[in-house]
Amino acid sequence: MLVHISVKNFAVVKQLQVDLVEGMTAITGETGAGKSIAIDALSLCLGDRADAASVRKGAEKAEIVAHFDVSHLKLAKSWLEENELEQEDNKDECFIRRLISQEGRSKAFINGVAVSLNQLKALGQYLVSIHGQNAHHQLLKTDNQRRLVDIFAEHSSLIDAVASACKALKEKQSQLSELQEAQQQRNDRKQLLSYQVAELDEFSIAENEFSELEIEHKRLSNSQTLLEQAQMSFYLLYEGDEFNALSAIRSCIDNLADMQEHDPLLGPIVEVLNEASIQVEEASQELRQYCEQLEIDPMRLQQVEQRYASSMDFARKHNVKPEALYDKHMELAAEYATLIQQENSLGELEEECLRLASDYKKHAEALHLSRQKSATLLAKKIEAHIRDMNMPHAKVEIEVNSILDAKPSAHGTDQVSIKVATNPGQAADSLDKVVSGGELSRIGLAIQVITASGNHIPTMIFDEVDTGISGPTASIVGRLLRKLGERSQVMCVTHLPQVAAHGHNQIFVTKLTDGDSTETRMLQLTENERVNEIARLLAGDKLTDTAIANARDLLKL
């Protein structure tokens, strides 16, 4: 609940300190005195946008501090904990501070930590609900009528199930739509790839095959020359009758070996020649084997040339180097397989969307039934309350219609409509066609009282929501607000004595001026001061004994 609010240099307020308590607090004062100042200031603490006009003339900045007791507010405490904004020394308290400069710049703090306006709004929804003078007009919107039925029904688990099912369905539908939109393009690509992959599959080039073809092609196309040169080299190294290299080396070894005893320096040379002799002999043997194995095969050469040429043609066709043809084949085959898989996925997604649509429908139907049941009970309660508020012939119906062809949404497929008949024999119709402004206010207040327990908001502020109401009806409205104040902290700005008298507490707003500047003050009234203020509301500025007696009667003193 709101414990204290401090306002400094805001609008016409120079300095204002207001302590607030549980129950219903009536806020009264003369017209133009600034009864809504504290509410406007509190709205800034809850994330409303500020401008330079908010700063009191002549001041550098405006400052508003709101102090809340969150000891019994689980949602608010959880939010503070999740955002690491709770006070370490006292987690049951929360301080919100807002600063506005002369230039209109603003800073916000929660428990001393700088925060954004979005964070203020996120926390504010768990702390305070403000109902302005035109708040009841929100009842005319069907979305708000549906929300009120949901609040009264307290079936958040059903709403969550519908929202979750809707999210899952829309995600799958989005994936399906993307695949379906690209279907023709995918089919064209698949047809091309089918031909290309089949052609490359038939050609079936192996990895590194082109490099091996190049080597084999060179060997086969030069096989005759290779054989002739290899045979000639073998003859010169080993088989020549008149001269060969191996015989020459061995002769040198024999001659120099005999001379080693005359000069030891010849020893290393003889060793080198011995090694050369061994290597020449090994090379000669390998040349012999090479000549024996070397084939001159025109048919094989023709085959290699054909495959080599085909490889070059395929490479040009796919705009790659011949060496990369194998990789290109694998790439196209993988793409083709992916397209086939996407086709399969399309069918699977269609089946999944049907399953999720059925799941969504099941949850939406359960929510629909719950809404229908709750709507009937809520209509009876609203009817009973507004009949007490000088609408004795009122009849209330709440229709919950499921729209069969409605697109899936997080709140289901229902259209909720509150219909009212205010006179006997009159058919019930939508609020905007039947009720007056005062009647709408009474219906709105009745709904606020009935749904208060489902709102889970500890502090409710009503800013002249009793506009258009007077006489006995005002007294009934006052009783309703007092009843609401027994469950929540209620603050009500009012000009009606019948409403103010039902408050557990009363604050008087006054405006002081010295001719150059104006200042608004808020005073907590004592019991006797309340009598005088209620009497003023009844009779005007001139208090009479009759007005005071009436005020005491209203206050049950």
Side-chain angles (χ1 to χ4, degrees):
M1 59 172 277
L2 180 61
V3 176
H4 179 85
I5 185 167
S6 169
V7 183
K8 185 177 180 182
N9 295 325
F10 175 68
V12 295
V13 173
K14 183 177 181 181
Q15 183 95 21
L16 186 65
Q17 304 278 342
V18 182
D19 291 317
L20 297 156
V21 294
E22 295 178 341
M24 173 188 170
T25 298
I27 302 174
T28 61
E30 296 178 355
T31 301
K35 295 189 291 295
S36 299
I37 286 289
I39 296 174
D40 294 339
L42 185 59
S43 295
L44 287 174
C45 283
L46 301 176
D48 274 8
R49 294 199 171 276
D51 53 40
S54 302
V55 182
R56 180 180 169 84
K57 186 177 179 181
E60 293 183 359
K61 62 183 178 181
E63 180 183 39
I64 301 122
V65 179
H67 173 202
F68 293 90
D69 179 354
V70 295
S71 56
H72 300 296
L73 309 182
K74 292 182 179 180
L75 294 176
K77 291 184 77 171
S78 296
W79 187 93
L80 289 168
E81 183 179 356
E82 289 171 6
N83 289 271
E84 299 180 350
L85 291 170
E86 58 186 354
Q87 289 199 118
E88 292 184 4
D89 55 339
N90 190 346
K91 297 182 180 181
D92 291 336
E93 289 186 326
C94 175
F95 291 86
I96 298 178
R97 181 170 173 246
R98 187 85 183 270
L99 298 175
I100 303 105
S101 69
Q102 276 183 326
E103 297 78 19
R105 291 192 295 270
S106 150
K107 294 181 180 178
F109 304 86
I110 296 177
N111 290 329
V113 180
V115 296
S116 66
L117 292 187
N118 286 335
Q119 287 177 298
L120 283 185
K121 291 178 181 178
L123 175 60
Q125 66 180 324
Y126 303 123
L127 299 174
V128 178
S129 175
I130 298 177
H131 304 268
Q133 297 179 31
N134 298 316
H136 296 320
H137 291 286
Q138 297 298 317
L139 277 177
L140 302 178
K141 298 180 180 180
T142 57
D143 285 350
N144 287 330
Q145 293 176 13
R146 185 196 65 244
R147 185 180 61 83
L148 288 170
V149 171
D150 289 337
I151 290 172
F152 177 75
E154 296 185 359
H155 50 206
S156 58
S157 60
L158 292 177
I159 295 175
D160 291 344
V162 168
S164 178
C166 179
K167 182 181 179 182
L169 175 58
K170 285 188 174 182
E171 286 177 354
K172 289 298 179 183
Q173 286 178 333
S174 177
Q175 295 175 22
L176 178 61
S177 178
E178 288 177 6
L179 283 177
Q180 287 174 334
E181 287 174 4
Q183 180 68 25
Q184 185 57 49
Q185 183 180 357
R186 190 166 54 250
N187 284 341
D188 294 341
R189 180 64 176 164
K190 190 182 71 171
Q191 187 175 1
L192 174 62
L193 285 175
S194 174
Y195 168 76
Q196 290 178 330
V197 171
E199 193 176 42
L200 288 171
D201 283 346
E202 184 179 356
F203 184 60
S204 190
I205 191 167
E207 190 173 9
N208 300 321
E209 182 182 345
F210 184 78
S211 298
E212 295 170 359
L213 282 172
E214 279 190 309
I215 295 171
E216 187 177 5
H217 181 266
K218 288 179 181 180
R219 184 172 65 250
L220 289 172
S221 59
N222 294 280
S223 58
Q224 186 62 46
T225 304
L226 289 170
L227 181 59
E228 290 173 358
Q229 291 299 324
Q231 289 175 338
M232 179 61 71
S233 297
F234 177 72
Y235 181 80
L236 291 174
L237 287 174
Y238 191 81
E239 262 196 350
D241 294 333
E242 296 181 1
F243 175 84
N244 64 71
L246 183 60
S247 297
I249 292 172
R250 286 176 175 173
S251 177
C252 291
I253 292 171
D254 291 341
N255 294 335
L256 293 174
D258 293 340
M259 296 294 103
Q260 286 185 79
E261 61 183 35
H262 302 300
D263 188 352
L265 292 176
L266 290 173
I269 296 174
V270 172
E271 290 180 6
V272 171
L273 288 171
N274 278 322
E275 291 176 1
S277 172
I278 294 170
Q279 289 178 348
V280 168
E281 188 171 8
E282 289 178 353
S284 299
Q285 296 304 320
E286 290 181 7
L287 274 174
R288 175 185 286 170
Q289 292 177 4
Y290 176 80
C291 292
E292 291 173 351
Q293 293 173 358
L294 185 63
E295 295 183 7
I296 300 176
D297 188 347
M299 291 296 294
R300 177 57 185 166
L301 176 60
Q302 185 179 0
Q303 292 173 353
V304 170
E305 285 179 339
Q306 287 177 348
R307 191 150 182 85
Y308 183 88
S310 296
S311 298
M312 295 292 289
D313 289 342
F314 276 116
R316 282 192 295 270
K317 186 175 183 179
H318 292 283
N319 197 29
V320 296
K321 293 181 179 180
E323 295 87 347
L325 187 58
Y326 172 82
D327 291 335
K328 185 65 176 179
H329 180 198
M330 295 300 102
E331 177 188 330
L332 294 176
E335 185 183 354
Y336 182 67
T338 299
L339 292 178
I340 296 296
Q341 178 59 40
Q342 285 180 344
E343 266 197 359
N344 296 334
S345 297
L346 187 63
E348 292 172 1
L349 271 176
E350 288 173 344
E351 292 180 3
E352 182 68 3
C353 283
L354 289 174
R355 186 190 68 77
L356 290 174
S358 176
D359 188 49
Y360 171 79
K361 183 180 179 182
K362 178 186 69 177
H363 290 298
E365 286 176 352
L367 180 59
H368 171 73
L369 292 174
S370 179
R371 279 174 175 158
Q372 281 189 320
K373 181 179 178 181
S374 299
T376 302
L377 183 58
L378 177 59
K380 289 180 180 178
K381 289 197 172 189
I382 295 173
E383 187 176 290
H385 277 74
I386 63 176
R387 282 187 174 186
D388 287 341
M389 290 188 284
N390 202 24
M391 294 176 68
H393 305 294
K395 291 185 179 181
V396 179
E397 298 174 3
I398 301 180
E399 293 182 355
V400 180
N401 297 313
S402 181
I403 310 303
L404 296 178
D405 57 348
K407 292 182 178 179
S409 70
H411 54 71
T413 58
D414 293 332
Q415 185 176 44
V416 177
S417 177
I418 298 177
K419 294 187 174 183
V420 176
T422 57
N423 299 307
Q426 181 185 39
D429 207 339
S430 57
L431 294 175
D432 58 332
K433 295 180 180 178
V434 175
V435 299
S436 64
E439 289 170 335
L440 185 62
S441 295
R442 280 173 265 179
I443 294 171
L445 282 172
I447 291 174
Q448 290 297 336
V449 172
I450 295 167
T451 61
S453 60
N455 272 319
H456 304 296
I457 298 176
T459 300
M460 304 180 73
I461 299 175
F462 297 89
D463 187 7
E464 295 193 20
V465 293
D466 50 13
T467 301
I469 298 173
S470 60
T473 305
S475 181
I476 296 169
V477 169
R479 286 202 299 272
L480 282 176
L481 290 172
R482 185 180 179 91
K483 182 178 178 181
L484 192 58
E486 292 170 0
R487 291 193 294 247
S488 303
Q489 183 186 39
V490 172
M491 284 176 276
C492 177
V493 176
T494 182
H495 62 280
L496 298 178
Q498 296 92 336
V499 173
H502 281 89
H504 297 92
N505 319 283
Q506 189 167 342
I507 293 175
F508 176 69
V509 182
T510 183
K511 181 169 63 176
L512 303 176
T513 181
D514 58 7
D516 295 323
S517 62
T518 302
E519 183 179 345
T520 292
R521 293 182 181 177
M522 299 181 75
L523 307 173
Q524 188 80 40
L525 298 183
T526 63
E527 192 172 281
N528 288 331
E529 289 170 340
R530 285 193 73 185
V531 172
N532 290 335
E533 173 58 9
I534 297 297
R536 185 192 67 80
L537 292 173
L538 286 167
D541 293 335
K542 186 177 181 180
L543 298 183
T544 65
D545 292 340
T546 302
I548 291 175
N550 288 339
R552 288 183 176 278
D553 184 55
L554 285 174
L555 289 166
K556 301 294 190 294
L557 295 176

